[in-house]
Amino acid sequence: MKRAFTKLWLSAACLVLAFGSDPGRAQHSGAHSTPSHGAAIPQAGPANAVVEFENESIVVVRIRMAPGEKTPMHDITSARLVVWLTDAYLRDTHPDGRTDELRRRAGDIDWVPVQRHAGENLAQEPLEFLAI
């Protein structure tokens, strides 16, 4: 767990340097909270997405999906770091109809590029992650 937090800290520091003073660029489509700095957030995506932290350099969005919950096709407009807070089993559907099934463990960290996709929680438990 200490290793995961170290990776998170280093990755977050890299993101701060990479994004500089470009606030709101790490948003996941579907976050329903309105950031105080006026970043535009598209409304398609997970029903339960909340901005947990925001400053002039970084935005952290907590996303929760119920068992079996699906998200509509939506755009991720900037690459982001994803930190899995729970184990996850999900299906990622691409615009061309291609799908990928993904399994993640709590503490795993992924880099998610700019993309258009839809998601589905295939597990019998809720999943939760941070998009940074």
Side-chain angles (χ1 to χ4, degrees):
M1 192 65 158
K2 183 176 180 182
R3 183 172 166 229
F5 285 121
T6 301
K7 284 171 132 179
L8 173 61
W9 174 250
L10 290 173
S11 298
C14 289
L15 279 175
V16 168
L17 292 173
F19 287 117
S21 62
D22 197 8
R25 299 296 184 241
Q27 296 293 322
H28 186 282
S29 298
H32 296 297
S33 297
T34 303
S36 58
H37 292 87
I41 302 173
Q43 293 303 308
N48 193 345
V50 176
V51 175
E52 292 286 340
F53 176 83
E54 178 185 23
N55 66 22
E56 62 280 349
S57 301
I58 196 165
V59 177
V60 178
V61 180
R62 180 184 302 264
I63 299 170
R64 296 179 178 109
M65 291 178 68
E69 182 177 353
K70 296 179 183 181
T71 63
M73 192 65 63
H74 61 279
D75 294 307
I76 294 178
T77 58
S78 65
R80 76 269 333 268
L81 184 75
V82 169
V83 179
W84 295 95
L85 302 177
T86 62
D87 291 351
Y89 175 39
L90 59 135
R91 178 178 297 126
D92 196 27
T93 302
H94 305 277
D96 63 4
R98 184 176 46 89
T99 63
D100 299 309
E101 288 190 8
L102 309 166
R103 291 185 185 269
R104 297 295 184 261
R105 304 284 300 166
D108 285 352
I109 298 172
D110 289 319
W111 182 253
V112 177
V114 170
Q115 61 180 289
R116 181 166 181 77
H117 75 140
E120 179 180 0
N121 181 0
L122 299 174
Q124 298 300 312
E125 301 82 29
L127 68 80
E128 186 172 8
F129 62 93
L130 297 176
I132 304 168

